[in-house]
Amino acid sequence: MFYREQLPNSYISYGTKTLGFSPRLGFALREDLSLQLRYSIYQQQISLPGYLANCNNNPGNGLLAFNPSPAFVNSVGGAAFLPAPATDASGVGLWCYSDGEASLPVRKELQSGQALTSALGYSLNYNTLDNNKNPTDGLLVDFKQDFAGVGGDVTYLKSAVDAKYYTRWLPILSD
């Protein structure tokens, strides 16, 4: 069982909260080959700070700060046809994206609310390493696949391969 929370920061504009459960079962098929089966179910919600969601296309009563989206500007024929105040004191403009507004995909995901993901997956692991903690020779290959769509709101197929080869490196010495 797990709970993970990521807060907005200077690298990512939105926050996420994830609550879930993921049991796993693994067993060896041979000395160098193992299989792990897993099931995951988790619910994820994103959040956006208010200052990143300040787009509005309501130039009407003047009580709201008018901060039009580029689509709205284009729909009225350009900036010249916008009612005041279409610019700030610097004359640059109040455009939604000029002040760090969140992108449309992030805002659409925010409107959709919480998403429930239910997924089945497996990992196939091939390991010929001489030492698992400090390998100097051998091959390690992990093949992972997850299928979401066993209930829930999300559907995907994710496949990944990770391969590592270790060998001793001996410098060639010459006279």
Side-chain angles (χ1 to χ4, degrees), residues 151-163:
D153 306 319
V154 179
T155 303
Y156 63 81
L157 176 65
K158 179 172 77 171
S159 301
V161 176
D162 185 28

Side-chain angles (χ1 to χ4, degrees), residues 5-7 14 20 28 36 42 45 47 53 61 82 84 114 122 124 128 150 155:
E5 185 172 356
Q6 179 178 348
L7 300 174
Y14 57 91
Q36 182 186 71
Y42 57 91
Q45 180 179 357
S47 60
N61 58 18
L82 291 176
Q114 296 180 349
Y122 70 92
L124 194 58
T128 62
V150 190
T155 303

Side-chain angles (χ1 to χ4, degrees), residues 2 5 45 81-82 86 95 111 118 164:
F2 61 91
E5 185 172 356
Q45 180 179 357
F81 297 102
L82 291 176
W95 319 109
Q111 286 180 338
S118 176
K164 297 175 184 170

Side-chain angles (χ1 to χ4, degrees), residues 65-144:
F66 181 51
N67 203 8
S69 65
F72 181 82
V73 173
N74 291 335
S75 74
V76 297
F81 297 102
L82 291 176
T87 60
D88 59 11
S90 69
V92 171
L94 296 176
W95 319 109
C96 284
Y97 304 121
S98 68
D99 65 350
E101 180 72 21
S103 67
L104 184 59
V106 171
R107 289 186 287 132
K108 279 185 175 181
E109 188 65 28
L110 182 64
Q111 286 180 338
S112 67
Q114 296 180 349
L116 180 66
T117 302
S118 176
L120 290 172
Y122 70 92
S123 298
L124 194 58
N125 178 276
Y126 179 73
N127 185 345
T128 62
L129 298 179
D130 60 347
N131 183 326
N132 285 327
K133 292 189 179 196
N134 189 20
T136 58
D137 187 43
L139 178 65
L140 176 63
V141 180
D142 284 320
F143 176 72
K144 299 176 183 180

